């Protein structure tokens, strides 16, 4: 029936789809008065099984669906990234939505839909496939952002995210149409050959601008960042965590595949533009973050600044730059998840996300305070944690590419970010607590907090294997123009 489809290449996505359908059936079949969270339990079991299955796919390589779906080292690397992130996000969901009863199951199903979209983004080898994958991921995020129907901030966040996201989707489609007019194909391989044999024309330049505007929305780069702070603050915290790691990583997969792969032959024309946007993005994010009083808004602007750091790898336009992006995102995964795990537990206990309420946290819960300390210190780029070596590899990439001025701007921004991260640390460890009651941390959340701590420390101290994995993810791709 489907003679040109290699089902082994899409086996992970197939299993995720079967899991989603099975969970829908379980949710429908379960009586409404069932106390046990069966959908959540089965989701955790399925995720663990999928991670084990992912290990068996390390040797898979090829394309299917008429060249629209690719399984390579980059896709394999990021699919593990998404599966690991989902373990933590599902745990956050279970804790955060404990009081919502039956509405939690629908949220689980939306998370599975987002996971399918992210995995398809990682394996896209055609613009139409990539657009569909992005929409699958993003539509589920729209719904989850506005999921708290009685919360005005959640509804506002969902509306802003939907409107600006729809605009970004329009830009992406419009850019694809111009590229199709020039190259007469939507396949990445055909367009990459076209780029290698043609100079950039006004039509293709316009297409690149439109496509980058859409990608810039996903990665929260200036000037496409307008949604970030309000959505981060208003969305349910598990969604904010997923946006900060999952959606951002998906955006950078697109950036790597397109601007370091498909359009890599035109790097001389757009490399400086990316470097300037990198400098503006990191500076804006850090300067505005200094004045935030809400911890989720602070991490929102911090996310903008980290998009600026990551853009340094794209500006470098080399294999080292692409590898540095992968390695940085891996450390960023555990660092940001650690911070949001603390925020989840703290907000459930105190009903607040205000930084002022974190005063004296160390006296109320040592593990929350120390986990947040490590997360913030890693985000600031202080050695020997994961964030330091992530920034170090990005700085090396841009310096080797001749952007010394960009490295200096990044160094200044690292100092600025250290200030506002340490303000939160001061609140937790120096200021007097507003309340004396201890904050209880469940065994599951405690285990996840310890896991993120280990991730931050191990990636920072024993960075060799993780850096090798990040480099291998790029080396397996057809980036003939990279060195």
């Amino acid at each position: 029936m489907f003679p040109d489809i290699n089902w082994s290449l899409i086996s992970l996505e197939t299993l995720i789809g079967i899991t989603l359908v099975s969970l829908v059936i379980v949710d429908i079949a379960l009586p409404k008065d069932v106390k046990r969270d069966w959908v959540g339990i089965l989701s955790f079991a399925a995720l663990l099984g999928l991670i084990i299955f992912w290990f068996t796919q390390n040797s898979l390589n090829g394309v299917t669906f008429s060249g629209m779906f690719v399984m390579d080292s980059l896709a394999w690397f990021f699919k593990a990234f998404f599966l690991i992130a989902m373990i933590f996000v599902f745990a956050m969901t279970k804790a955060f939505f404990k009081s919502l009863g039956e509405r939690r199951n629908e949220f689980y199903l939306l998370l599975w839909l987002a996971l399918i979209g992210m995995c398809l983004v990682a394996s896209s080898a055609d613009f139409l496939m990539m657009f569909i994958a992005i929409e699958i991921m993003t539509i589920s995020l729209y719904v989850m952002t506005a999921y708290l129907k009685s919360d005005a901030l959640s509804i506002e966040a969902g509306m802003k995210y939907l409107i600006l996201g729809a605009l970004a989707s329009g830009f992406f489609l419009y850019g694809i149409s111009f590229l199709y007019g020039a190259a007469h194909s939507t396949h990445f391989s055909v367009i990459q050959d076209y780029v290698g044999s043609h100079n950039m024309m006004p039509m293709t330049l316009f297409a690149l601008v439109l496509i980058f505007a859409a990608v810039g929305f996903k990665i929260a780069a200036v000037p496409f960042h307008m949604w970030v702070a309000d959505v981060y603050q208003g969305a349910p915290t598990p969604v904010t965590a997923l946006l900060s790691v999952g959606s951002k990583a998906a955006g950078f997969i697109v950036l790597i595949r397109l601007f370091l792969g498909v359009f890599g032959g035109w790097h001389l024309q757009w490399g400086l533009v990316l470097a300037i946007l990198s400098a503006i993005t990191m500076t804006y994010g850090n300067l505005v973050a200094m004045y935030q009083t809400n911890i989720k808004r602070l991490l929102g602007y911090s996310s903008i600044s980290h998009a600026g750091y990551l853009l340094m790898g794209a500006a470098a336009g080399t294999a080292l730059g692409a590898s540095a992006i992968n390695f940085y995102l891996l450390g960023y995964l555990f660092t940001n998840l650690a911070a949001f795990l603390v925020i989840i537990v703290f907000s459930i206990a105190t009903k607040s996300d205000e930084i002022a309420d974190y005063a004296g946290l160390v006296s109320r819960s040592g593990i929350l305070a120390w986990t947040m300390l490590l997360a913030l210190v890693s985000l600031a780029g202080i050695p020997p944690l994961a964030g330091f070596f992530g920034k170090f590899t990005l700085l090396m990439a841009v310096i080797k590419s001749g952007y010394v001025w960009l490295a200096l701007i990044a160094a200044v921004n690292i100092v600025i970010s250290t200030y506002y991260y340490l303000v939160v640390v001061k609140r937790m460890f120096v200021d007097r607590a507003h309340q004396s009651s201890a904050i209880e941390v469940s065994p599951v959340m405690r285990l996840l907090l310890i896991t993120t701590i280990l991730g931050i420390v191990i990636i920072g101290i024993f960075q060799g294997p993780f850096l090798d994995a990040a480099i291998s993810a790029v080396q397996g791709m057809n980036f003939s123009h990279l060195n």
Side-chain angles (χ1 to χ4, degrees):
M1 184 176 179
F2 300 105
D4 64 334
I5 296 178
N6 184 341
W7 290 100
S8 63
L9 296 179
I10 62 169
S11 52
L12 181 65
E13 287 76 13
T14 302
L15 287 175
I16 295 173
I18 292 172
T19 302
L20 174 58
V21 173
S22 301
L23 290 173
V24 171
I25 295 172
V26 169
D27 183 40
I28 294 172
L30 282 175
K32 296 302 180 183
D33 57 349
V34 171
K35 300 295 183 182
R36 188 174 291 275
D37 183 14
W38 282 111
V39 176
I41 294 170
L42 292 173
S43 293
F44 276 111
L47 283 170
L48 292 174
L50 289 169
I51 290 174
I52 295 171
F53 179 77
W54 166 85
F55 278 103
T56 68
Q57 294 195 304
N58 63 333
S59 60
L60 287 181
N61 192 34
V63 295
T64 187
F65 277 114
S66 302
M68 298 179 72
F69 184 99
V70 61
M71 185 63 188
D72 57 11
S73 54
L74 186 71
W76 188 74
F77 177 89
F78 275 103
K79 287 176 186 180
F81 184 102
F82 296 135
L83 288 170
I84 293 170
M86 278 299 180
I87 288 284
F88 291 89
V89 174
F90 269 92
M92 294 182 195
T93 301
K94 185 176 178 62
F96 189 80
F97 286 92
K98 199 169 185 180
S99 61
L100 293 184
E102 69 277 3
R103 295 197 65 227
R104 180 172 52 194
N105 288 348
E106 289 86 344
F107 198 90
Y108 287 138
L109 300 177
L110 288 167
L111 287 175
W112 279 103
L113 191 62
L115 178 59
I116 292 177
M118 289 186 287
C119 289
L120 289 174
V121 168
S123 286
S124 295
D126 182 278
F127 272 106
L128 296 181
M129 172 70 81
M130 179 170 281
F131 175 76
I132 293 170
I134 291 173
E135 290 304 296
I136 291 173
M137 174 188 71
T138 309
I139 289 173
S140 60
L141 289 171
Y142 294 154
V143 178
M144 289 188 287
T145 300
Y147 204 72
L148 303 179
K149 296 189 294 184
S150 59
D151 188 336
L153 287 177
S154 178
I155 299 300
E156 179 186 357
M159 288 298 296
K160 288 182 178 179
Y161 193 33
L162 172 62
I163 293 170
L164 293 174
L167 186 64
S169 297
F171 285 160
F172 195 71
L173 278 177
Y174 201 29
I176 292 172
S177 68
F178 276 90
L179 274 180
Y180 183 82
H184 308 294
S185 176
T186 56
H187 277 41
F188 290 171
S189 58
V190 176
I191 296 174
Q192 187 167 350
D193 291 340
Y194 173 86
V195 170
S197 58
H198 292 77
N199 293 324
M200 188 183 295
M201 301 181 298
M203 183 169 69
T204 52
L205 173 61
F206 188 53
L208 259 66
V209 171
L210 290 172
I211 291 171
F212 183 79
V215 177
F217 173 84
K218 298 300 177 189
I219 65 176
V222 174
F224 314 106
H225 65 284
M226 296 80 70
W227 60 276
V228 174
D230 291 334
V231 172
Y232 271 50
Q233 180 181 5
T237 306
V239 183
T240 308
L242 183 58
L243 286 169
S244 71
V245 291
S247 179
K248 185 177 289 291
F252 275 99
I253 294 172
V254 176
L255 191 73
I256 291 171
R257 287 223 185 265
L258 298 185
F259 289 87
L260 294 181
V262 177
F263 306 134
W266 291 335
H267 178 260
L268 289 178
Q269 286 88 343
W270 53 260
L272 180 60
V273 175
L274 285 181
I276 294 171
L277 286 175
S278 171
I280 295 172
T281 299
M282 69 176 78
T283 304
Y284 174 86
N286 283 320
L287 290 178
V288 179
M290 294 172 62
Y291 300 97
Q292 301 307 307
T293 60
N294 181 285
I295 190 69
K296 290 170 70 176
R297 289 185 74 89
L298 182 142
L299 289 178
Y301 284 107
S302 169
S303 175
I304 294 172
S305 71
H306 287 282
Y309 298 137
L310 286 160
L311 278 172
M312 291 194 296
T318 61
L320 177 59
S323 303
I325 291 174
N326 294 341
F327 180 69
Y328 192 95
L329 284 171
L330 190 59
Y332 189 73
L333 170 68
F334 290 98
T335 301
N336 244 33
L337 287 175
F340 280 104
L341 281 169
V342 174
I343 292 171
I344 283 277
V345 177
F346 183 84
S347 64
I348 291 173
T350 64
K351 311 300 180 186
S352 173
D353 290 321
E354 295 300 311
I355 296 174
D357 292 326
Y358 279 74
L361 178 60
V362 69
S363 64
R364 303 182 65 189
S365 175
I367 189 170
L368 292 182
W370 285 102
T371 302
M372 182 64 90
L373 169 65
L374 284 174
L376 295 176
V377 168
S378 180
L379 287 172
I382 297 175
L385 303 178
F388 168 77
F389 288 100
K391 288 183 172 64
F392 180 80
T393 54
L394 287 169
L395 290 172
M396 289 298 297
V398 293
I399 289 173
K400 286 189 175 183
S401 296
Y403 293 112
V404 178
W405 60 270
L406 182 58
L408 292 175
I409 291 174
V412 172
N413 273 280
I414 291 170
V415 175
I416 295 172
S417 68
T418 303
Y419 164 76
Y420 63 79
Y421 290 132
L422 291 180
V423 167
V424 181
V425 173
K426 172 185 173 294
R427 288 283 189 188
M428 296 187 299
F429 287 87
V430 178
D431 292 358
R432 186 184 298 275
H434 299 162
Q435 299 181 25
S436 59
S437 58
I439 297 177
E440 294 186 7
V441 183
S442 68
V444 172
M445 297 301 282
R446 190 177 294 272
L447 175 61
L448 292 175
L449 288 167
I450 293 172
T451 303
T452 56
I453 291 172
L454 291 175
I456 294 169
V457 174
I458 291 173
I459 293 174
I461 296 177
F462 306 103
Q463 66 276 163
F466 303 100
L467 186 57
D468 290 342
I471 293 171
S472 298
V474 174
Q475 288 178 340
M477 297 182 63
N478 183 24
F479 285 173
S480 59
H481 61 280
L482 297 183
N483 52 58

